[in-house]
Amino acid sequence: MSLDSSSSPSAQISPVAGPEVRADGDDLRQTSLINLSWTKQSINLILVGETGVGKTAMVNLLANVCAGISLEKFDDKVDLSNELGGKEAAGSQTIAPKFYSIICANGQRVNILDTPGFADERGIEFDRVHKQALVQAMKEQIDSIDAIVVLLHGDSARLDTRTEYALATIFSVLDTSLPDNIVFIFTNVSSPPGFNFPISSLPNWLQSTPRWSIDNPCIRWFAYRKALSQPSGTVDEDSLEDMNDVAHRGYHAGLKMLSQFFQHLDKCQPKPIQGILQLYELSMYIETHVSNIIARSELLAIKRATNVGKEIEKLEQEIDASLTEVVDACERYNKLSLAGSFVRLLYCTIHMLQYRDASTRKLQELAHGVTDSEVLDRLARSIGRIQKEVKVLEEVDHRNEKA
C-alpha cells in the first residue's frame, strides 16, 4: 500500500429531526439531554489516539446522537471506504484524516477531524505519514481548535509501550497553547469498577486533565443488530436480550457523558492552529538536518580512512554548521512543544521498535522456529537509524548545556 498522503475528504451529516420536527417521544426525550447543553454555534474537535482505540466509533456516536437519532435508528455515519477492511473488519483502521461536519438537532454544528491511529501496526513510517496528513488536513479544514480529544483504553491496567509511544507522538505535534483544550475519553469502560487505566502513570501536568469514560453504545448496538441478523438459533434468546440491555445501558450512560462533555467544550477557549503548524515545520527541519548530519558523518569516516585532508576539513565545517542550526531549532521546538523535548519521542520510538522486535521473535518461537527475517531486518534497520539520530541530538543537548 502506498504511503502517499492525500488531502482529507469531508462529509456533512444532517439531523433526521430538527427542533421544529416532531419526532417520536423517545427521540425527543433522549436528544433533549444534549440539545441545549452548549451555546457555541460551532465546535471543532480533533480525535487522536492509538490504532484500535475507537476513534471512528466515537465519530459514529457523536454523529448519531448530535443529529437527533435514537439508539434504535443508529446507523453508520462514517466513510467506510476510509477504513482498512471496511465495515466487516474488527478493529478497522482509519486510512487518512477525515473531516465530518455534523449539523446538530439543535441547529448548531460539530466539526470532527477523525485521524488515523498512531502506533500503526504496519510500521512507524506510517505514523510519520499520518502526522503529515493530520497537519495538512488541519490546514485545509479548520483554523481553530476547541478540543483535542485523546482516546485511551480505559480497561488497560498499565501504560504499555504502544500507548506511551502513541501519546508521545500525539504531544510532539501539540504546542504549549493547548493544555486547557485537551480532554481524555477512556473507551471500553462499562462501569466504574471497569476503569483500570493508571492515571498516575501520565505526566504530572496531564493527571488533572478533564476525562470521561464510555462503553460506546454504537459498538454494542451494531453487534446486537448483527447477532439478530444471523440465522435462527445461531444466537440464543438470552444472549440477544443481554446484548440489547447492554447497548441500552451504554446509550443512557453515553448521553449523560456527552452532556457533560459538551458543557465542558462550551467553556474551552478556541485556539488557533498556527502553533501546531509551526511545531510541525520545526520538527521536519530538525529531522532533515539530523539526517544530513548522519550522512556527512558517515562520509567523513570514509574520508578519514583514506586521508583526504581538504575534504575532511570541509565536511567537518559543514557538520559543525548543521549542528549549530539544529541546536537553535531544537531550542525553539522544546519551548513550543508539549512533549518538551524532541529527543524524547525518539527514545519512545526506539522502545516501541524494541517491543515489536521482541514480540515478533516470541511469535516466531511459538510458530516452531518459523522466522520472518525481512520483518526483523527492517526493525533492526529502523532501530539503528533512530539510535544514530539520538546520538546527534545528544550532541545538540551537550552544546545547549555548554551555551
Side-chain angles (χ1 to χ4, degrees):
M1 180 173 292
S2 171
L3 289 177
D4 292 343
S5 61
S6 59
S7 59
S8 68
S10 61
Q12 180 164 295
I13 300 169
S14 299
V16 294
E20 75 286 356
V21 178
R22 295 298 298 177
D24 62 73
D26 182 61
D27 277 353
L28 292 177
R29 182 172 61 255
Q30 304 297 351
T31 59
S32 65
L33 285 171
I34 66 165
N35 272 353
L36 303 177
S37 61
W38 75 93
T39 59
K40 291 178 178 177
Q41 289 304 302
S42 65
I43 292 176
N44 293 334
L45 305 178
I46 298 179
L47 299 190
V48 294
E50 65 184 277
T51 296
V53 76
K55 294 183 300 299
T56 301
M58 181 58 62
V59 174
N60 244 335
L61 178 64
L62 291 170
N64 279 283
V65 171
C66 290
I69 301 172
S70 62
L71 179 65
E72 288 76 10
K73 298 175 184 177
F74 272 16
D75 199 3
D76 272 313
K77 301 296 183 183
V78 299
D79 179 6
L80 296 174
S81 68
N82 197 40
E83 304 295 314
L84 279 180
K87 184 175 182 178
E88 299 304 320
S92 62
Q93 300 176 19
T94 300
I95 299 169
K98 177 80 175 183
F99 183 79
Y100 295 92
S101 187
I102 304 169
I103 303 173
C104 302
N106 59 8
Q108 291 153 312
R109 188 182 294 267
V110 175
N111 300 315
I112 304 172
L113 186 59
D114 184 23
T115 67
F118 292 108
D120 194 306
E121 292 292 346
R122 294 169 294 173
I124 61 168
E125 62 272 18
F126 282 88
D127 289 331
R128 296 189 180 205
V129 173
H130 295 336
K131 192 157 56 172
Q132 178 186 358
L134 169 60
V135 171
Q136 184 61 34
M138 291 173 62
K139 285 181 182 180
E140 295 172 358
Q141 302 289 1
I142 59 177
D143 56 12
S144 65
I145 300 168
D146 289 274
I148 305 286
V149 183
V150 183
L151 273 68
L152 294 169
H153 291 285
D155 56 347
S156 177
R158 64 187 181 89
L159 183 65
D160 61 23
T161 303
R162 290 181 77 251
T163 304
E164 184 179 19
Y165 165 76
L167 286 174
T169 304
I170 290 165
F171 293 126
S172 73
V173 296
L174 301 183
D175 68 277
T176 51
S177 73
L178 291 168
D180 293 338
N181 298 75
I182 296 172
V183 300
F184 287 131
I185 293 181
F186 291 91
T187 61
N188 304 321
V189 181
S190 57
S191 64
F195 181 82
N196 292 312
F197 189 91
I199 297 296
S200 60
S201 64
L202 294 171
N204 289 336
W205 65 273
L206 280 174
Q207 291 182 18
S208 59
T209 297
R211 60 182 183 267
W212 292 269
S213 300
I214 193 167
D215 186 23
N216 196 318
C218 265
I219 298 173
R220 303 303 179 190
W221 183 252
F222 292 159
Y224 169 65
R225 287 200 320 201
K226 183 176 181 180
L228 275 180
S229 68
Q230 301 301 310
S232 178
T234 303
V235 184
D236 64 81
E237 290 299 321
D238 287 343
S239 296
L240 287 172
E241 185 176 346
D242 287 344
M243 293 175 74
N244 187 23
D245 288 345
V246 167
H248 278 84
R249 285 198 302 270
Y251 177 59
H252 291 292
L255 287 176
K256 292 179 182 179
M257 170 257 165
L258 288 177
S259 178
Q260 297 170 9
F261 175 66
F262 277 104
Q263 288 176 38
H264 174 79
L265 296 181
D266 210 20
K267 301 173 185 176
C268 291
Q269 183 68 31
K271 299 293 173 59
I273 66 169
Q274 278 71 23
I276 292 177
L277 303 183
Q278 182 183 355
L279 196 58
Y280 179 74
E281 290 171 1
L282 272 173
S283 69
M284 291 298 98
Y285 180 90
I286 292 169
E287 287 186 13
T288 299
H289 276 68
V290 168
S291 295
N292 289 339
I293 290 169
I294 291 171
R296 287 191 176 104
S297 297
E298 291 173 347
L299 181 59
L300 178 61
I302 295 172
K303 296 299 182 184
R304 280 175 174 162
T306 55
N307 294 314
V308 184
K310 290 183 178 180
E311 293 188 27
I312 290 175
E313 183 178 353
K314 181 182 177 183
L315 281 170
E316 287 175 338
Q317 291 173 349
E318 290 175 349
I319 292 171
D320 189 69
S322 290
L323 278 169
T324 300
E325 292 178 4
V326 173
V327 166
D328 177 66
C330 280
E331 186 176 358
R332 286 183 286 145
Y333 177 93
N334 294 347
K335 288 180 179 178
L336 184 62
S337 171
L338 281 178
S341 169
F342 190 86
V343 75
R344 180 177 178 274
L345 175 59
L346 298 185
Y347 286 132
C348 287
T349 304
I350 290 173
H351 292 159
M352 176 68 172
L353 291 170
Q354 290 172 336
Y355 165 78
R356 284 185 174 166
D357 180 86
S359 298
T360 301
R361 292 179 187 277
K362 187 173 181 178
L363 287 172
Q364 290 176 356
E365 286 177 9
L366 294 174
H368 307 292
V370 177
T371 61
D372 189 339
S373 58
E374 183 179 344
V375 171
L376 293 174
D377 287 346
R378 185 170 66 248
L379 287 168
R381 288 195 299 272
S382 295
I383 292 171
R385 174 177 56 79
I386 297 172
Q387 285 174 334
K388 290 178 181 178
E389 293 175 1
V390 167
K391 187 174 181 181
V392 171
L393 289 169
E394 286 175 343
E395 171 64 21
V396 167
D397 287 344
H398 180 65
R399 290 193 176 207
N400 265 327
E401 290 171 2
K402 289 176 66 177

